[in-house]
Amino acid sequence: MGRRRRDVKMLVKRFISCNIFAIAYIIFCCTLSNSVHSFGELRKLTLNTKQAQMEKIKNEEAVARQTNDHDLTNKNGRPRWNSNNRRRHRTNLKHMQESAALNEQLKKLVAKNQVNLAEELLLSTLNDFQKGLSKSVRPDNHHFGIVITGWGRSGFADSPQRAEQLMNKMIECYRDGSRWLKPNKFVYSSVVNCWSVGVKGSAARAEELLRRMERVTGSPPNFVTYSTVIKAWAKEGRIEKAEELLITMESLYEQGNEETKPNTITYNLVLEAFAKSGKEGSAHKAEKLLKRMDDLFKNGNLDAKPDVKSYSNCIDAWAASNEMDAPQRAEELLRQIELQFLRGNTEMKPSVVTYGTVIKAWTRNKNPQRAEEILKRMEKAMVKPNSVCFYMIIVAWACSGEIGSAQRSELLLKRMQQMQEHGYKGVKTNNPDVKIYTAVIDAWVNSAEDGAPERAEELVNEVEISYQKGNTNMKPNIGLYNALLRANYLQNDVIAAARRADDIFEKLLALNQEGDLDVEPNHATYRTIVLIWSKIKTKDASNKMAYYKSMFQRHNAKYS
């Protein structure tokens, strides 16, 4: 016990130069010496304390070196708060406050879409700083990024060029010695985004900047920038370029670059490009890509999980194709979505767009009956149809010319009216409009069933009354009255049909002279009226035909 106390005293003398915290720690160790089993343990604890102190000093010195503020620390590396460094601290704080103020000013101008003013403020501030007139505010990447992003959102025709000019200004300043203005990935990505929403042909420039970004920054752009350029190529219908970039992203990711990992949004952009291209084989490529997504997800890549939009885009690709089995392939994809939803995947609930696209596929295949079955299946799944779904099926029935197609169209119209009357809570666009009524009249005309002219008159009266009551969706147009004229052509009483055609034409002229441009007679109007009068073999009928032909020539001359 006595030897242990002598050793402790020697330690006290050796480390007397340590600070008060080390001394207090040693005293504390002395009081607990009975519980320390060996001198080696006590020595180890003491040495650890000293090492911790030295590490702290080294860290303080490193921070001082990084901030280039050596005069803020003394020779031991500890902060030395004298009048000079207090003044410097206040100056730095002022710089930060004024930089934040400039940041807020730029954001406010951009939010008001006054990007021109924001750019003027930014460049004038930079000019003042370079001339030494303002040492407080030094514009940096963040300030330039705000204005460049503003140009991308402005919607101006020259926004891509203006954004790139700002970035070129940064590069010029960087080469002149302003090292803090070297454009970073955020700035390049913002300029790429500006070009991606530009006019046709801008996708090529966006990809050029993408490659340039990779050379300047020394690392590949991230998946957001790649996806932006993919979207630009898809917008221009260049699906081969969009697919090529997707393959590049996958290749870079496989090489270990996590930032280029494609996700569901990226894959959906390419699928959407396939759907909108309408090119031969696009539907097959879309379904192949969808399967690739599904395989990646099953192998553990959660970012490639197909969602409802993925399937909807693939369905749309089939609906737009001219393949013989396109409707069946589209319906099979719908069945897969429904099956996943029934198994508990609530994220895979089919939307009105999904069902509507399958309806579109069947109507393009001239099969309104099967399209109507999808509509019933849609309602059974508690998905509320909109007017577009009804319109496509009614038009399909009208084009079919089958016996009973007019009644089927009327039933669909009645269903829409019931939904409207009973306050069907769903999509707001599920109410019948003038296009729906026009399609129903065409169904009557094309079916050539008895009573078509009379029913057409009734439907037109419903439209006019509804519009007079304030329903703007039911505003009559020339398409409606042309359908009524075609129905009148079917009348057995040709003289009555001709007189009714005259009445309709006079009504259209009167409304047009009052300023209603939606009912101005067009070439279809004149052609139908001439056909009606051509059934009558009299001199008066010949004069009428000559009159309408002259009116038609004047109409053509007006718009030639």
Side-chain angles (χ1 to χ4, degrees), residues 229-265:
V229 182
I230 287 173
K231 184 177 181 181
W233 281 121
K235 185 179 177 182
E236 294 186 12
R238 297 287 301 278
I239 54 174
E240 71 283 352
K241 299 292 290 184
E243 194 175 10
E244 181 183 320
L245 282 177
L246 177 62
I247 293 170
T248 302
M249 291 178 71
E250 291 177 328
S251 177
L252 288 169
Y253 171 65
E254 288 171 1
Q255 293 171 17
N257 192 325
E258 290 286 338
E259 290 190 357
T260 60
K261 183 180 182 181
N263 60 10
T264 303
I265 296 173

Side-chain angles (χ1 to χ4, degrees), residues 438-508:
T438 304
V440 175
I441 293 173
D442 281 334
W444 277 103
V445 172
N446 294 337
S447 67
E449 295 182 31
D450 293 338
E454 293 77 13
R455 182 55 185 153
E457 292 282 358
E458 292 173 3
L459 290 169
V460 171
N461 287 336
E462 286 182 27
V463 171
E464 291 174 337
I465 292 170
S466 180
Y467 177 66
Q468 290 169 4
K469 290 181 178 179
N471 187 351
T472 55
N473 290 328
M474 297 288 275
K475 185 180 187 302
N477 57 27
I478 192 61
L480 177 73
Y481 288 110
N482 284 343
L484 178 60
L485 285 170
R486 288 194 293 271
N488 265 279
Y489 178 79
L490 299 175
Q491 279 201 57
N492 294 323
D493 189 342
V494 292
I495 295 177
R499 289 174 180 172
R500 180 57 182 147
D502 284 346
D503 292 341
I504 294 170
F505 183 75
E506 293 299 326
K507 180 179 180 179
L508 294 176

Side-chain angles (χ1 to χ4, degrees), residues 71-87:
D71 54 340
L72 295 181
T73 59
N74 58 26
K75 63 181 181 180
N76 293 324
R78 294 168 187 153
R80 183 175 60 197
W81 286 98
N82 53 31
S83 59
N84 289 332
N85 66 37
R86 284 195 181 93
R87 184 163 53 254

Side-chain angles (χ1 to χ4, degrees), residues 173-235:
C173 292
Y174 169 73
R175 290 172 178 169
D176 290 342
S178 301
R179 313 303 289 180
W180 66 89
L181 279 178
K182 181 180 180 181
N184 55 19
K185 283 188 176 183
F186 171 72
V187 172
Y188 273 100
S189 297
S190 299
V191 178
V192 168
N193 185 61
C194 289
W195 278 105
S196 70
V197 295
V199 295
K200 187 175 182 180
S202 58
R205 184 57 186 160
E207 185 167 352
E208 285 178 21
L209 289 169
L210 181 80
R211 305 303 181 192
R212 178 177 165 188
M213 175 183 176
E214 186 172 358
R215 292 193 303 270
V216 173
T217 61
S219 61
N222 59 21
F223 77 95
V224 176
T225 313
Y226 270 106
S227 298
T228 302
V229 182
I230 287 173
K231 184 177 181 181
W233 281 121
K235 185 179 177 182

